[in-house]
Amino acid sequence: MKLKNYIGGQWVEPENGAYEPVIDPATGEILAEVPKSSVKDADRAIAAARSAYDSWRKVPAPKRGEILFKVGQILKERKHELAQQMTREMGKVYTEAAGDVQEGIDMAFYMAGEGRRSFGYTTPSELPDKFAMATRDSIGVAGIITPWNFPMAIPTWKIFPALVCGNTVVFKPASEVPLSAQALVNILIEAGVPAGVVNLVHGDGPVVGEALLADPRVDLISFTGSNQTGRHVAKVAGEALKRVSLELGGKNAIIVMDDANLDLAVEGILWSAFGTTGQRCTACSRLIVHEKIYDELRDRLADRMSKLRLGHGLEKSTDVGPLITQKALEKVHGYVEIGQQEGAKLVLGGGRAENGDLSRGYFYQPTLFTEVTPEMRIASEEIFGPVLSMIRVKSLEEAIAINNRVTYGLSSSIFSQDVNRVFQAIRDLATGIVYINAGTTGAEIHLPFGGTRGTGNGHREAGTAALDFFSEWKAVYVDFSGKLQRAQIDA
Ligand code: NDP
């Protein structure tokens, strides 16, 4: 099956006729062929989004919201098939893929509601017979560039608020997950999004994504992906004075104190560290553990990790799926070698999983390092795989300082039953998201999502924070005095 781009209301082949295969990372099977589009396709999509903008911004926001409500209903009806397709496309186990679709459903209904809210505010004027208000305005064409690890959730978190705010969209999904992108766009069309309002262009980031960054017809860029690409996006789009939102991952830690409920902590750690094979931006890859319980936690974890079952995500028995690509597998293994060279102790895993059918896919053994020190590279750089590093601490203060020393600041967590320690941690953990007695993953769509420092550039996704990114404030003054009143001068 050859996929197409969707430009100006038409499914079209790429102008250059170039394609590449889409591969099931668990089996190596070719699922489809995705266009390797050129700058010309991106150019046409931007033009289509530009020309649709003026009428879309004038569609009443409640009507835009109604379309999103319909999108949510269709997503709900197709949740099962979308999740199955996602598992084949990028490997995460079925239940997690269904959760990924559920995030899209939740976001659709939430943003549908924003069609009837999108609150601005009124405030008294300093002058008599004058009215003042601040309203939300649309911005223009949104360039949406997304990664492969949440094929439905991340695009919906960006596209739905962009649309409800009255912007039009050029969507460049990651090359690994074009089937999910196509399914989402089909649903948007079915729900009534007019031609040109959403355009989909498949292709390489450095070609199609790049074309969006500097083009003056694109007003804003919302990007999720690697730190390296994010910096480039910020530079090029920033130079063009575009509004840019970056979500660039993390080096998230779980702190386990000596008074923690260890049964609960083990569950939270397994889910956060090995869910989606460690390929979540909020995945836990550092475990900061009080010295009094360090050995016990290590033994309990190693025991549970050794029982995790690797396999195709559509098999009911599978706990952990494959990594996304051969390149990702090599990157993860490279970090395992670095960890060993740095002197960390490899307790479990540390190699490709190749038994039987696993040899067909990019499977990696769940891996545990102990005796890790905070300055090691495995404790400070994003690995994006099933590798967990245990760091020993003597106090909460030391744990918090270690949590905060990395360049990322997305998510953190603490397991403790001591309310004083918990509130101290809430105050001092320098991340955008903090969990108490839960792992580092599990964001809900109506709260702000994003992080501090190297995780991004200060914007937040989801919740009303998303509206702040996808809309522009407009201050309106209505003078009904019938005479010229000069602010600051006539008062
Ligand atoms: P990238 O940052 O390369 O890709 C993210 C998106 O950006 C993709 O759609 C990609 O396109 C696109 N892109 C790439 N280059 C450009 C460019 N010059 N201009 C505009 N868009 C561009 O991440 P990878 O997928 O290569 O993953 C590498 C690492 O990034 C991971 O190992 C992980 O550490 C991190 N990562 C973090 C994520 C997070 O959730 N924060 C998500 C994914 C990755 P395409 O890939 O199709 O060429």
Side-chain angles (χ1 to χ4, degrees):
M1 178 185 35
K2 278 193 162 129
L3 302 178
K4 290 182 174 168
N5 293 323
Y6 185 71
I7 299 176
Q10 303 289 328
W11 287 103
V12 289
E13 288 169 10
E15 181 267 344
N16 59 10
Y19 292 84
E20 66 180 331
V22 183
I23 291 167
D24 180 338
T27 62
E29 184 195 340
I30 295 178
L31 302 173
E33 286 184 87
V34 57
K36 254 174 113 59
S37 309
S38 69
V39 172
K40 283 194 183 153
D41 302 299
D43 183 72
R44 287 183 51 218
I46 296 168
R50 194 76 247 163
S51 75
Y53 172 60
D54 200 46
S55 54
W56 179 246
R57 76 181 175 88
K58 292 177 193 153
V59 172
K63 294 280 169 224
R64 297 195 295 252
E66 279 170 27
I67 294 177
L68 290 178
F69 191 84
K70 185 92 193 286
V71 169
Q73 286 175 312
I74 305 172
L75 280 168
K76 207 169 160 184
E77 282 161 21
R78 303 207 185 132
K79 181 174 171 180
H80 173 63
E81 67 191 75
L82 291 168
Q84 281 189 323
Q85 175 172 265
M86 186 187 298
T87 294
R88 281 196 201 94
E89 193 173 37
M90 56 70 70
K92 69 169 75 169
V93 296
Y94 172 81
T95 45
E96 292 180 38
D100 191 318
V101 179
Q102 186 60 44
E103 288 192 38
I105 297 167
D106 295 341
M107 188 55 88
F109 291 142
Y110 181 85
M111 286 299 160
E114 282 304 333
R116 286 194 183 264
R117 280 190 301 267
S118 297
F119 295 133
Y121 58 93
T122 61
T123 184
S125 165
E126 65 188 42
L127 292 164
D129 300 327
K130 195 171 173 187
F131 179 83
M133 63 182 165
T135 63
R136 289 188 186 275
D137 215 353
S138 57
I139 300 178
V141 175
I144 306 284
I145 304 173
T146 55
W148 45 265
N149 60 340
F150 281 88
M152 199 54 79
I154 294 178
T156 59
W157 281 34
K158 295 178 189 299
I159 293 172
F160 296 171
L163 292 179
V164 83
C165 288
N167 307 290
T168 56
V169 166
V170 179
F171 173 29
K172 205 309 274 178
S175 306
E176 292 86 355
V177 290
L179 291 162
S180 293
Q182 175 176 291
L184 175 60
V185 170
N186 265 324
I187 290 170
L188 285 158
I189 298 165
E190 207 176 314
V193 170
V197 170
V198 172
N199 303 275
L200 168 68
V201 190
H202 298 289
D204 289 341
V207 179
V208 174
E210 188 76 34
L212 303 177
L213 304 182
D215 194 303
R217 296 166 297 170
V218 177
D219 301 277
L220 61 115
I221 300 285
S222 179
F223 172 87
T224 299
S226 65
N227 194 284
Q228 193 187 2
T229 308
R231 283 171 195 271
H232 174 74
V233 168
K235 203 192 296 177
V236 179
E239 178 69 30
L241 293 183
K242 286 190 210 308
R243 183 180 286 227
V244 186
S245 162
L246 304 171
E247 205 286 285
L248 310 177
K251 187 69 187 173
N252 314 293
I254 292 178
I255 297 171
V256 186
M257 295 305 294
D258 51 339
D259 68 330
N261 173 341
L262 285 194
D263 292 334
L264 182 64
V266 167
E267 296 305 325
I269 294 161
L270 289 171
W271 175 236
S272 299
F274 305 111
T276 316
T277 322
Q279 303 171 108
R280 291 175 166 184
C281 48
T282 52
C284 167
S285 72
R286 296 184 295 156
L287 199 51
I288 305 174
V289 184
H290 195 279
E291 58 183 2
K292 283 193 196 154
I293 48 143
Y294 189 93
D295 292 353
E296 185 185 350
L297 185 60
R298 175 200 59 209
D299 294 346
R300 285 208 206 184
L301 254 182
D303 177 54
R304 287 291 302 278
M305 282 173 64
S306 66
K307 293 178 184 143
L308 290 173
R309 291 157 304 186
L310 273 60
H312 198 291
L314 291 178
E315 302 284 335
K316 278 219 165 62
S317 57
T318 298
D319 297 310
V320 182
L323 290 164
I324 184 75
T325 54
Q326 175 68 27
K327 197 171 149 206
L329 197 124
E330 284 162 16
K331 178 182 169 192
V332 169
H333 190 61
Y335 271 108
V336 169
E337 288 178 340
I338 289 168
Q340 288 172 295
Q341 285 154 18
E342 285 177 316
K345 189 171 167 204
L346 182 63
V347 174
L348 200 78
R352 188 173 183 163
E354 291 177 297
N355 297 343
D357 279 353
L358 297 184
S359 64
R360 294 159 64 206
Y362 310 119
F363 289 93
Y364 202 84
Q365 298 162 350
T367 298
L368 182 64
F369 276 113
T370 57
E371 312 315 325
V372 176
T373 56
E375 63 283 353
M376 289 180 182
R377 284 182 64 193
I378 55 166
S380 43
E381 296 175 19
E382 188 174 48
I383 299 175
F384 233 57
V387 180
L388 186 60
S389 294
M390 279 183 81
I391 301 169
R392 193 188 297 266
V393 291
K394 290 185 165 49
S395 67
L396 177 61
E397 287 72 18
E398 187 187 358
I400 291 172
I402 291 171
N403 178 77
N404 292 350
R405 76 189 296 281
V406 294
T407 52
Y408 293 101
L410 182 53
S411 180
S412 55
S413 133
I414 178 168
F415 282 85
S416 169
Q417 306 192 68
D418 177 337
V419 69
N420 295 342
R421 280 171 156 176
V422 163
F423 271 89
Q424 187 182 341
I426 293 171
R427 184 192 61 196
D428 294 339
L429 288 168
T431 52
I433 306 168
V434 174
Y435 291 93
I436 310 302
N437 293 322
T440 52
T441 62
E444 298 180 29
I445 64 97
H446 50 300
L447 278 82
F449 181 90
T452 62
R453 305 193 296 285
T455 288
N457 59 346
H459 291 289
R460 291 291 184 270
E461 303 201 281
T464 50
L467 304 181
D468 291 334
F469 179 73
F470 287 104
S471 66
E472 194 100 72
W473 281 112
K474 183 179 271 178
V476 181
Y477 300 93
V478 183
D479 193 317
F480 54 97
S481 68
K483 57 182 192 265
L484 178 69
Q485 300 196 86
R486 296 171 301 173
Q488 293 90 40
I489 293 169
D490 293 339

